Amino acid sequence: MKIISSEISKGSPNPRVRRTSGLRGGVVTFQTDKPVFNGDIFTLHFDDKDRYYKAEEISTIDKENVEVAATEYGYIGSRLSRQPKFDVRSLLDLELTQVTDEEQLRQIAKSSTLC
């Protein structure tokens, strides 16, 4: 699954519920014809490290394809959006892989709670 867009988001106000949307930090967008569910975790190998993203928003493109917006996940200190002068364009066309190993998912979730 190739990244088609990348951004660092501060969130956007939602006037209906008067709060900020959940898309904060580094956000990547990709399209796929594979099943993706809210909360699925994806890995991106960048700068010799694995970076993790969590599916947050999923929308249909047509009957077979969906577009997924995923936010950074895992240890906060290793997130790309926290690096000074990070160029979001460097992520375009890179490949994401879905994480399915239960033990790896537990380790990633545990690291995301560390500050």
Side-chain angles (χ1 to χ4, degrees), residues 21-64:
S21 76
L23 297 182
R24 299 183 66 127
V27 180
V28 296
T29 306
F30 61 93
Q31 295 176 352
T32 184
D33 61 352
K34 299 190 179 358
V36 176
F37 302 99
N38 191 38
D40 283 354
I41 306 297
F42 298 86
T43 184
L44 167 71
H45 193 75
F46 182 77
D47 279 348
D48 297 324
K49 294 181 183 175
D50 285 334
R51 316 293 179 150
Y52 300 102
Y53 289 84
K54 182 177 184 180
E56 298 282 345
E57 292 183 354
I58 304 166
S59 57
T60 57
I61 297 172
D62 54 37
K63 287 187 176 194
E64 297 168 7

Side-chain angles (χ1 to χ4, degrees), residues 1 6 19 22 24 34 36 40 63 79-80 98 111:
M1 294 166 262
S6 174
R19 64 179 172 80
R24 299 183 66 127
K34 299 190 179 358
V36 176
D40 283 354
K63 287 187 176 194
R79 295 180 185 181
L80 294 171
Q98 188 168 7
S111 74

Side-chain angles (χ1 to χ4, degrees), residues 61-73:
I61 297 172
D62 54 37
K63 287 187 176 194
E64 297 168 7
N65 298 296
V66 294
E67 184 171 283
V68 180
T71 57
E72 290 176 299
Y73 190 67

